[in-house]
Amino acid sequence: MQHFARFQAAPFPMEMHKVRVIQKLTLLPIKERLAAIVEAGNNTFLLKNRDVFLDMLTDSGTNAMSDRQIAAMSLADDSYAGSETFFRLEASVQDFFGLPFFLPAHQGRACEHILAKVFVKPGNVVPMNFHFTTTRAHIMECGGRVEECFLDEAIRSESDNRFKGNMDLHKLENCIASVGINNVPFVRVELGTNLIGGQPISLSNLEAVSAICRKHQLLLVIDSSLLSDNLYFMKMFDPLCEDLSIKEINHRISACADIIYFSARKLSSARGGGLVMRDKLLFDKMKVLIPLYEGFLTYGGMSVREMEAMAIGLQETLDFDMIAHGPQFIEAFGNKAKEQNIPVITPFGGLGLHVDARAFLEHIPGEQYPAGALAAAIYIVSGARGMERGTISENRNPDGSEHVASMELVRLALPRRVFTLSQITYMVDRLAWLYENRALIGGLTFVDEPTIMRFFIGRLAPIGDWQTRLVDKFIADFGSDAL
Ligand SMILES: *Cc1c(COP(=O)(O)O)cnc(C)c1O
């Protein structure tokens, strides 16, 4: 048998922390879970948390804080302008990224709003490894569009490429040449690509992208919201990083960028965000919009308590034990799921386990939202909520037809340091039952469809009575009082 060893791919994950505060959970009976998902319009965003057993929707604002973070919150210095808290946060940000200029913003998408407002003009094209929902929406609101330059491998669900998030350098060069340098306001790289399964990018690829940008004098913007997972994967699997500390790796990343932005709801396990840069001119261009949209320059819409937690959380991200926990639990979750033949995205990435809904529900066409249907079915049979990351998360084509997503995923996020191995074992057990009974699952159709980012608040209904038949089968197998 393989034994546990730190800094290696472990046979099982290990918590290098202990639990000191707990929150009681409830698991509703299955008929009440059915009623809850119907009331939520089959959209897991619209469930009430009190009806949720394991909240695997996202890692945004839901990571567990450390004792040091909670302690720091009580030192917060409340002041509209010039608070000590801001200067502590600024020093932590500068040390963490190794860059001098910092602008605070209330969360990641607020940074995207500022970037799009300052740089994107109608007709512009922003090349990137993969889009994120809010990023693309802000670019489109300013009249621009996104062009993705991902590896062909990126959207293959099973792969052994450790860095599926890498940019395809030829596609990037071709994109820049075909739209013209003057139409490219910046190139964007997302570390730990969210929508294709939390897949990382390698340091060598990032440095190559940076070299291309410098050759053309284009700005390189890095979205570091999922940086902590990406740092782990670089340290573990990128030969360039083998002898570097986490901090040295992070400073090599920063050296590639002109602007870095992040959601502190993910990175640093607090709630907020920010933009970081080397160049005073870029700083001056963006800073004027912070008081208009976010708040004064020394809080940017954040609470000072969260800012104190963020200052500590960034420093804790330099600790291998902190950044290893998420990916190693995801790997354990994925390996157990694979043993049960549940189709999952490989290699296992960051953020959560990504179930391949297209392979799980081969009988459901893209227009009937297999990932949305699977997310609803998972809630019904387990009480856990995941997030649809497939066609519902896309926009319709201009002619109103459905734009079927390149990948149809249900993400079961593992917010950092929150869930235990027994809860993961429970999830695998329920997913295995659902997979055996997958033929019972049917599609969904919209009953209320917003035009912008419909996945957040849109409402859907099942096509036919498959949800009641699924509940009946569950009760037949487990008994009427089974949870
Ligand atoms: C979550 C996320 C964002 C947006 O951050 P918020 O704080 O939720 O607004 C942007 N980019 C990526 C890659 C993300 O994962």
Side-chain angles (χ1 to χ4, degrees), residues 58-61 106-112 130-135 188 190-195 223-226 261-266 271-273 351 389 411 456:
T58 172
D59 63 337
S60 180
H106 80 274
Q107 63 183 97
R109 70 200 67 182
C111 306
E112 293 170 338
F130 211 83
H131 79 280
F132 184 66
T133 50
T134 54
T135 325
R188 172 179 174 275
E190 182 178 315
L191 297 185
T193 46
N194 193 321
L195 296 189
D223 179 346
S224 276
S225 302
L226 301 178
Y261 74 91
F262 61 97
S263 166
R265 299 179 62 84
K266 290 122 184 212
R271 292 152 197 94
L351 186 51
R389 296 275 75 158
R411 179 179 81 200
F456 275 130

Side-chain angles (χ1 to χ4, degrees), residues 391-412:
T391 299
I392 296 175
S393 298
E394 292 287 334
N395 304 321
R396 280 184 188 268
N397 297 319
D399 69 359
S401 63
E402 203 51 83
H403 173 77
V404 174
S406 52
M407 297 191 100
E408 200 68 59
L409 308 181
V410 175
R411 179 179 81 200
L412 297 167

Side-chain angles (χ1 to χ4, degrees), residues 258-279:
D258 296 290
I259 299 170
I260 296 177
Y261 74 91
F262 61 97
S263 166
R265 299 179 62 84
K266 290 122 184 212
L267 180 64
S268 83
S269 306
R271 292 152 197 94
L275 295 138
V276 197
M277 61 236 91
R278 186 181 306 105
D279 177 8

Side-chain angles (χ1 to χ4, degrees), residues 246-263:
I246 306 296
K247 190 168 179 174
E248 286 165 341
I249 299 172
N250 201 29
H251 287 194
R252 286 273 288 264
I253 294 173
S254 295
C256 294
D258 296 290
I259 299 170
I260 296 177
Y261 74 91
F262 61 97
S263 166

Side-chain angles (χ1 to χ4, degrees), residues 41-271:
N42 280 277
N43 181 346
T44 54
F45 276 100
L46 302 182
L47 285 166
K48 298 187 178 93
N49 204 27
R50 74 164 91 103
D51 296 334
V52 172
F53 177 43
L54 304 174
D55 188 7
M56 298 185 168
L57 186 73
T58 172
D59 63 337
S60 180
T62 54
N63 296 310
M65 282 193 187
S66 70
D67 48 1
R68 293 177 64 243
Q69 286 183 287
I70 305 278
M73 289 172 97
S74 64
L75 298 176
D77 176 26
D78 257 311
S79 153
Y80 186 91
S83 91
E84 263 314 287
T85 293
F86 174 75
F87 297 111
R88 277 195 281 271
L89 173 59
E90 185 184 49
S92 175
V93 167
Q94 288 165 337
D95 174 73
F96 179 75
F97 288 104
L99 295 174
F101 296 108
F102 168 54
L103 290 170
H106 80 274
Q107 63 183 97
R109 70 200 67 182
C111 306
E112 293 170 338
H113 177 219
I114 304 275
L115 282 166
K117 270 254 148 56
V118 170
F119 297 106
V120 178
K121 305 282 173 288
N124 280 180
V125 175
V126 183
M128 54 184 71
N129 51 346
F130 211 83
H131 79 280
F132 184 66
T133 50
T134 54
T135 325
R136 185 173 65 187
H138 278 297
I139 290 168
M140 289 173 67
E141 283 288 296
C142 291
R145 68 181 175 84
V146 158
E147 196 160 316
E148 293 171 319
C149 306
F150 53 81
L151 303 179
D152 296 340
E153 192 82 8
I155 55 171
R156 220 161 275 150
S157 49
E158 286 181 81
S159 162
D160 52 13
N161 184 336
R162 278 298 352 170
F163 293 102
K164 275 163 95 177
N166 279 354
M167 186 93 97
D168 184 318
L169 302 175
H170 294 292
K171 287 185 192 163
L172 175 62
E173 287 277 25
N174 288 342
C175 171
I176 294 169
S178 70
V179 304
I181 288 177
N182 294 333
N183 271 325
V184 178
F186 57 84
V187 173
R188 172 179 174 275
V189 169
E190 182 178 315
L191 297 185
T193 46
N194 193 321
L195 296 189
I196 53 168
Q199 299 295 325
I201 158 164
S202 69
L203 184 57
S204 42
N205 185 256
L206 185 60
E207 290 183 341
V209 171
S210 177
I212 291 173
C213 291
R214 294 206 169 132
K215 182 178 76 184
H216 296 297
Q217 293 187 314
L218 290 172
L219 293 177
L220 177 58
V221 175
I222 296 182
D223 179 346
S224 276
S225 302
L226 301 178
L227 173 68
S228 84
D229 295 334
N230 207 110
L231 283 169
Y232 168 80
F233 289 113
M234 282 177 168
K235 180 67 197 164
M236 291 293 284
F237 304 113
D238 190 335
L240 262 189
C241 299
E242 206 176 314
D243 298 321
L244 302 179
S245 69
I246 306 296
K247 190 168 179 174
E248 286 165 341
I249 299 172
N250 201 29
H251 287 194
R252 286 273 288 264
I253 294 173
S254 295
C256 294
D258 296 290
I259 299 170
I260 296 177
Y261 74 91
F262 61 97
S263 166
R265 299 179 62 84
K266 290 122 184 212
L267 180 64
S268 83
S269 306
R271 292 152 197 94

